Amino acid sequence: MGKPRRSQVFDFSFLFFCFLSSLSTSSFALSDAEASYLSQRQLLTLPENGELPDGFEFQVQINLKFDNSRLRRAYIALQAWKKAMYSDPKNITNNWVGPNVCGYSGVFCAQALDDPKINVVAGVDLNHADIAGYLPAELGLMTDLALFHINSNRFCGIIPKSFSELTLMHEFDVSNNRFVGPFPDVTLSWSSVRYIDIRFNNFEGQIPPELFEMKLDALFLNNNRFTSTIPETIGQSTVSVVTFANNKFKGCIPRSIGKMENLDEIIFMNNDLGGCFPPEVGSLKNLTVFDASLNSFVGALPQEFSNLIGVNVLDISHNKLTGVLPENICKLPSLSNFSFSQNYFNGAANACVPTLRKDIVLDDTGNCLGDRPKQKLGNECEAVLSHPIDCSKDKCGGGSSPKPPVKAPPKPQPKPP
């Protein structure tokens, strides 16, 4: 295998980048042109298959002494990364010079797990550094890395395939950057990872079902461009917190959600989800936050929601829900904030009336509750309430999916003479 391809026009490219930077605002936000440029720069430096060739580190000539070969590999990786940074307004990487990589700002060393006698680079934390650049493939050389935090920067491009070599990864946070492409499948190869945060980027497409089969504690997917359904494997997930908000997820909430024993918070807000709520949500006894607002859920709120004895925040606003709100849901023992506004509820128990409750925050505006202020107009309510949804027949709410029509058997063809 050949060496990774390198551009021969660095000087001109850097001047071009400086010109683009001069067009930026004072907040150091990247323009779309700058982000596109950095992504192209990354593609020019990546190996053809995205992986580093075997023995790549031995091809790099370095006239420095290191305490061990792993620190040498880390030096190669960090120097390649520094070259891939085109803006460092806080001069975080100013001291990234020389063989003492453990002294670099934002770089942390610890004893190697397989050899306590040597120190290795175990973590990188450049959170809120406001650095612009991309991730080079050489970062895959830091195979002892367990923590990678670069949130709130201006990194662009993709997560290199060489990151699959970082098998000790425990916390991976690349949130609030400008990364693109499909969900970074490299994370699926990390058996030790417990925290994945990729929110506020431009990832798109499908979510791999295998993601929810991993032993994660927290998963943040919000504010990207994902368009898939939520995989049925979510029921196997060990997460306590998961956020799907502000994407384009579609379809139902899988009924397997009721098997998420560790779930504490789940956010579905502002997607294209719909159908009836599955009654299995009521099995989530440890749940404290459930937000399914700004979607297209229909039908009545399942009685099983009254089993959410630990829920503190319940937000089902801005949907198309109908029916009567039962008293036992509004009287949940831990409930402090319940918003069911902007739906089509046409009845609510006294316990659900904001003016009669001083112990919790309730919002019932924008419904079809005739005796309450700030409700929908009668004709708007009638258009929906005259066509009630039977959730017992809805595939999302527990009913069976409609069966495909049975095809008639083919007619026998006459035999040729």
Side-chain angles (χ1 to χ4, degrees):
M1 299 175 65
K3 296 182 181 180
R5 292 176 294 160
R6 305 288 179 187
S7 173
Q8 302 299 319
V9 291
F10 174 81
D11 292 335
F12 170 79
S13 298
F14 183 75
L15 290 173
F16 177 66
F17 178 82
C18 291
F19 167 73
L20 289 175
S21 297
S22 68
L23 303 178
S24 300
T25 64
S26 58
S27 63
F28 299 106
L30 281 180
S31 68
D32 290 341
E34 289 173 304
S36 176
Y37 166 73
L38 288 175
S39 298
Q40 292 174 9
R41 290 291 307 145
Q42 182 193 35
L43 292 176
L44 288 173
T45 64
L46 289 176
E48 291 185 6
N49 65 350
E51 298 280 1
L52 290 173
D54 293 337
F56 170 77
E57 66 268 25
F58 301 113
Q59 302 173 17
V60 181
Q61 301 297 319
I62 305 173
N63 295 320
L64 296 171
K65 291 185 179 180
F66 299 88
D67 290 342
N68 58 69
S69 60
R70 300 188 195 182
L71 292 179
R72 183 181 185 276
R73 288 162 60 93
Y75 173 83
I76 296 172
L78 293 170
Q79 293 303 313
W81 195 10
K82 186 176 181 179
K83 290 179 181 178
M85 297 176 183
Y86 291 94
S87 175
D88 182 6
K90 299 180 181 179
N91 290 320
I92 301 294
T93 61
N94 190 51
N95 70 340
W96 284 24
V97 179
N100 182 24
V101 294
C102 295
Y104 289 7
S105 297
V107 178
F108 303 94
C109 291
Q111 293 177 336
L113 293 179
D114 59 340
D115 188 355
K117 296 180 181 179
I118 65 173
N119 272 359
V120 294
V121 173
V124 170
D125 189 342
L126 296 179
N127 285 350
H128 303 278
D130 200 25
I131 296 173
Y134 60 84
L135 304 181
E138 285 89 342
L139 289 175
L141 293 173
M142 294 195 292
T143 51
D144 294 284
L145 210 59
L147 182 146
F148 190 73
H149 286 185
I150 59 168
N151 80 52
S152 303
N153 283 283
R154 293 174 290 152
F155 289 110
C156 306
I158 62 173
I159 309 298
K161 290 183 179 180
S162 61
F163 270 49
S164 61
E165 300 296 323
L166 310 181
T167 55
L168 299 181
M169 187 67 72
H170 187 79
E171 294 186 12
F172 183 69
D173 182 357
V174 296
S175 61
N176 198 21
N177 281 284
R178 296 288 295 273
F179 290 112
V180 297
F183 177 87
D185 285 346
V186 292
T187 58
L188 304 178
S189 62
W190 301 335
S191 60
S192 300
V193 71
R194 296 294 178 266
Y195 180 97
I196 296 178
D197 189 348
I198 62 171
R199 56 187 158 173
F200 291 98
N201 280 289
N202 290 307
F203 294 112
E204 60 190 37
Q206 305 288 310
I207 293 295
E210 300 90 334
L211 178 63
F212 298 104
E213 297 171 353
M214 301 173 69
K215 294 181 179 180
L216 296 174
D217 295 329
L219 175 62
F220 298 94
L221 304 170
N222 54 289
N223 295 81
N224 280 284
R225 299 181 178 184
F226 294 119
T227 56
S228 66
T229 57
I230 296 175
E232 192 71 28
T233 51
I234 190 175
Q236 302 176 40
S237 181
T238 58
V239 295
S240 62
V241 178
V242 57
T243 62
F244 298 95
N246 300 314
N247 281 284
K248 293 294 181 182
F249 286 107
K250 56 190 176 183
C252 309
I253 293 178
R255 297 182 64 187
S256 63
I257 189 176
K259 299 178 182 178
M260 300 177 72
E261 297 179 355
N262 299 328
L263 192 61
D264 182 68
E265 299 181 17
I266 189 163
I267 311 294
F268 294 110
M269 179 184 70
N270 193 26
N271 278 286
D272 293 330
L273 297 167
C276 293
F277 283 123
E280 286 79 4
V281 172
S283 301
L284 303 172
K285 300 296 177 61
N286 297 320
L287 194 66
T288 63
V289 176
F290 181 84
D291 188 342
S293 61
L294 293 163
N295 281 285
S296 298
F297 293 108
V298 297
L301 197 62
Q303 277 284 352
E304 287 81 1
F305 271 50
S306 62
N307 297 327
L308 299 175
I309 57 176
V311 74
N312 182 260
V313 176
L314 180 60
D315 193 343
I316 53 173
S317 62
H318 293 269
N319 282 288
K320 300 176 182 178
L321 300 168
T322 56
V324 177
L325 271 174
E327 184 176 41
N328 49 9
I329 293 180
C330 294
K331 281 189 171 182
L332 284 166
S334 302
L335 191 63
S336 65
N337 193 312
F338 180 22
S339 178
F340 52 95
S341 64
Q342 303 304 323
N343 279 288
Y344 293 86
F345 290 113
N346 61 345
N350 287 339
C352 304
V353 178
T355 55
L356 302 179
R357 297 292 300 274
K358 303 299 181 184
D359 54 330
I360 67 173
V361 176
L362 291 170
D363 186 356
D364 67 353
T365 57
N367 279 287
C368 301
L369 305 169
D371 58 340
R372 301 293 306 144
K374 300 180 180 179
Q375 300 296 303
K376 287 183 170 70
L377 298 176
N379 57 351
E380 189 179 357
C381 291
E382 179 63 21
V384 173
L385 297 178
S386 60
H387 299 87
I389 302 294
D390 185 352
C391 286
S392 67
K393 298 179 180 179
D394 180 81
K395 66 176 182 178
C396 295
S400 58
S401 303
K403 295 181 180 180
V406 179
K407 294 182 179 180
K411 295 180 179 181
Q413 299 294 319
K415 294 181 180 180

